[in-house]
DNA sequence: CTGAAAGCGCTTACAG
DNA sequence: CTGAAAGCGCTTACAG
């Protein structure tokens, strides 16, 4: 089958290719009647702009990219990314912008991917996941001038690149207040990778709130895997003054932690209360259901995509804030056993 | 920053642009010494082929696409797709082929996406997920002549399009033999969407094996959501002759079913044994751990990507078979309670 | 083995 | 308001 081009449309409409281009792109330069006739013909013959030709003639590539740098071991464990992608696409779809996804093993490969994409002119901008405290991706993106939006970070200034940030501190305080209200006084935190900005943000809020209330809090860092989540849980519960309530940085570790408790003969929430970040189907379907921080991940993705499109269009887009996660109380939190 | 082009390389090497192109693409027409010099220069100045220019000049787009047609509600629930994508990318990466992922709400939007991609010449081929019994995507792809590979289907002939299939029947028999060996005689199946070929394949194997052994089996179809998984579980267990062992078509429903049992005061595996399809982190981290069908999903994705690249290159690629899922026995299956 | 040139399908100043 | 033409950065016959 032969793909129709603007030359076909021009012939059918009896105008020049230039006129067709103006008509189809909403540019001035053609009469309303001509424009309409051209649009009808394009529709009728099922024309779609050849994305390569459009990209080559100085316009945009019509695609944005996202690199997921995760070791294969922890990939696909959390449902976060599928929902995030789904929200991104919802925002990209009306503008017919495609999403190129690249899964790589490490940070170095991610950097190489940005360089390559830039050289290939394959994408118009990138969504940067999991911003780190000292993130080498940021100077690279600035050097290349590749439009980008940073996600998963704090408000802090990172040069000139736009960002969408989430308040990770307030939910920590809400969770601690909830647990404190139930009577808990000793808290543990099973945290994710310490170099990620949002991990730091949560950790600061955790330490600060406990400090203000003269309470103790212990933190263990992990790689988000269930194995490390279970190990951190056991380590925290083996402390001299063991915590009675645990906060987890992802849903998978929270469930793994709960299972570790069950295997060790501890009841949830009888002996240990559990709160998970990023509420998910997983939190809802286990028994007992997990008290968790909920946010609309798809909506978050949509804000991120909108911000990137704005940056690509040359608008200023500084730091935008996505919705703050809300605490959803389920059956995994209860007053501590009286000792 | 200005991106280097082959004109820059040609100038630096003192040859024509054509020679540069031949040298960089491994075509004959340049001496070994010249080729090497050109490659070194390209490397040194960080040249990457402009993907639009390459695509426009009759060559390939250097990208393949995959549409995920799932209602937002069930998206991101299973970890299948992230691992599948990860495996696909591992195979695409060496050839510098990008993956365009499109999440759409329904079948109609998926069809529209294929038409648009084809018109835009944006991608060189597509990976088709979840083949249906009468799949309208297949005649469309044949009509467009868009290279494709079908996945998640049976061996059955579907016109001229390549496919990678998985034996879904053998694992069902293995699971039933395992449960039968434990003493189970009444079986239930919480199935996925009945229109999917692999659902049908599993269902036939289920009914056939039970028929051969003069045993009874009941099936409920669902949309893979935990809600329908729990409801189907309760419906099956409420039958006059309730099953003592249940097979689930995904991990999420298996966990939701187990939780439904717990909530209703039934023990797993004491009262009900559970087997899940597509072993996952989820199956490992719940308590008790779920007996499940394991396959290397990333390897499956790699075979699919390899097949698509072969088709794009013009090779024949008929029906290839991916590894057959293996039963992993954990704590959710045991002899039935004596009644 | 190498160079000059056409062409892919668009967009966009530039004349009329 | 419209047409003719150049150009984006490659690939690929076609001459030499």
């Amino acid at each position: 089958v032969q793909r129709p081009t603007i030359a076909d449309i021009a012939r059918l409409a009896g105008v020049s290719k230039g006129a067709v281009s103006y008509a189809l792109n909403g540019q001035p330069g053609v009469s309303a009647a001509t424009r309409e006739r051209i649009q009808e013909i394009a529709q009728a013959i099922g024309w779609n702009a050849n994305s390569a030709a459009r990209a080559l003639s100085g316009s945009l590539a019509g695609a944005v990219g996202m690199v997921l740098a995760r070791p294969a071991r922890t990939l696909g464990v959390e449902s976060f990314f599928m929902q995030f992608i789904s929200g991104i696409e919802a925002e990209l779809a009306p503008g017919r912008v495609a999403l190129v996804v690249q899964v790589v093993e490490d940070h170095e490969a991610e950097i190489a991917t940005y360089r390559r994409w830039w050289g290939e002119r394959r994408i118009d901008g990138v969504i940067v996941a999991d911003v780190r405290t000292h993130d080498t991706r940021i100077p690279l993106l600035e050097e290349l001038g590749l439009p980008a939006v940073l996600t998963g970070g704090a408000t802090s200034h990172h040069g000139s690149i736009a960002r969408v940030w989430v308040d990770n501190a307030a939910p920590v305080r809400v969770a601690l207040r909830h647990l404190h209200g139930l009577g808990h006084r000793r808290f543990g935190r099973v945290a994710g990778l310490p170099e990620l900005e949002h991990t730091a943000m949560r950790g600061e809020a955790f330490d600060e709130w406990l400090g203000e209330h003269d309470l103790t809090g212990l933190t263990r860092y992990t790689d988000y895997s269930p194995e490390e989540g279970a190990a951190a849980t056991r380590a925290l519960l083996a402390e001299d003054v063991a915590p009675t309530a645990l906060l987890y940085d992802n849903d998978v570790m929270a469930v793994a932690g709960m299972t570790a408790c069950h295997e060790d003969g501890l009841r949830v929430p009888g002996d240990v209360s559990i709160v998970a970040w990023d509420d998910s189907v997983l939190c809802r379907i286990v028994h007992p259901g997990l008290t968790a921080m909920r946010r609309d991940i798809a909506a978050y993705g949509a804000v991120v995509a909108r911000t990137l499109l704005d940056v690509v269009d040359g608008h200023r887009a500084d730091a935008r804030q996505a919705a703050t996660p809300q605490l959803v109380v389920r059956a995994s939190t209860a007053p501590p056993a009286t000792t």
Side-chain angles (χ1 to χ4, degrees), chain A:
Chain A
V1 194
Q2 203 58 39
R3 294 168 177 85
T5 71
I6 55 168
D8 298 318
I9 300 174
R11 192 167 0 89
L12 290 167
V15 297
S16 70
K17 293 194 304 177
V20 172
S21 177
Y22 290 136
L24 261 18
N25 290 305
Q27 302 288 345
V30 282
S31 66
T34 306
R35 185 187 303 276
E36 199 167 326
R37 192 156 47 89
I38 289 172
Q39 284 171 340
E40 272 167 14
I41 293 170
Q43 177 84 36
I45 67 175
W47 175 85
N48 282 290
N50 178 316
S51 59
R54 188 167 265 178
L56 188 58
S57 55
S59 182
L60 296 169
V64 298
M66 180 162 68
V67 177
L68 304 179
R70 304 247 152 174
R73 190 163 62 89
T74 60
L75 230 185
V77 168
E78 298 169 69
S79 57
F80 177 86
F81 277 110
M82 282 311 298
Q83 294 182 257
F84 194 52
I85 287 173
S86 167
I88 290 169
E89 302 248 359
E91 193 68 31
L92 297 180
R96 300 192 154 200
V97 176
L99 177 68
V100 175
V101 171
Q102 181 88 41
V103 179
V104 300
E105 272 289 308
D106 53 36
H107 203 239
E108 206 171 311
E110 178 171 357
I111 295 277
T113 301
Y114 291 142
R115 283 199 182 277
R116 184 162 52 78
W117 276 350
W118 175 80
E120 292 177 345
R121 247 196 181 88
R122 189 181 280 284
I123 48 117
D124 300 318
V126 295
I127 292 167
V128 179
D130 295 331
V131 172
R132 293 183 180 73
T133 314
H134 296 289
D135 203 314
T136 55
R137 295 172 295 182
I138 295 172
L140 172 73
L141 293 167
E142 286 180 319
E143 173 203 329
L144 296 178
L146 192 56
V149 53
L150 308 177
T151 70
T155 37
S156 60
H157 193 66
H158 273 293
S160 57
I161 300 182
R163 61 170 48 218
V164 175
W165 72 286
V166 171
D167 186 349
N168 278 268
V172 168
R173 292 191 290 267
V174 170
L176 290 173
R177 211 171 295 137
H178 163 67
L179 293 165
H180 189 259
L182 290 171
H184 292 273
R185 294 298 177 264
R186 300 195 305 277
F187 303 88
R189 179 166 126 78
V190 178
L193 295 170
E195 63 266 33
L196 301 187
E197 276 198 351
H198 73 264
T199 304
M201 205 171 167
R202 294 175 189 179
E204 280 166 32
F206 183 73
D207 294 337
E208 216 170 280
W209 194 92
L210 293 178
E212 285 168 10
H213 293 75
D214 284 323
L215 295 171
T216 57
L218 298 166
T219 299
R220 289 261 167 176
Y221 293 97
T222 69
D223 64 354
Y224 297 109
S225 69
E227 289 74 18
E228 296 203 0
T233 301
R234 292 199 162 101
L236 288 170
L237 295 176
E239 293 280 347
D240 285 344
V241 197
T244 59
L246 298 173
L247 271 61
Y248 290 82
D249 264 358
N250 79 357
D251 53 354
V252 170
M253 292 197 295
V255 173
M258 178 163 77
T259 294
C261 288
H262 287 157
E263 289 173 0
D264 295 351
L266 295 169
R267 314 280 310 186
V268 175
D271 300 305
V272 183
S273 281
I274 284 179
V275 176
W277 271 90
D278 271 352
D279 185 30
S280 66
V281 167
L282 183 48
C283 297
R284 287 197 289 120
I285 64 177
V286 292
H287 186 77
L290 297 185
T291 294
M293 309 295 193
R294 158 178 284 167
R295 55 174 163 171
D296 186 335
I297 297 171
Y300 178 36
V303 172
V304 169
R306 180 72 261 153
T307 304
L308 181 56
L309 293 176
D310 288 347
V311 172
V312 168
D313 285 349
H315 302 136
R316 287 211 49 148
D318 298 336
R320 293 186 189 168
Q321 185 174 358
T324 302
Q326 305 293 315
L327 187 73
V328 178
V329 177
R330 295 206 183 84
S332 67
T333 47
T338 47
T339 27

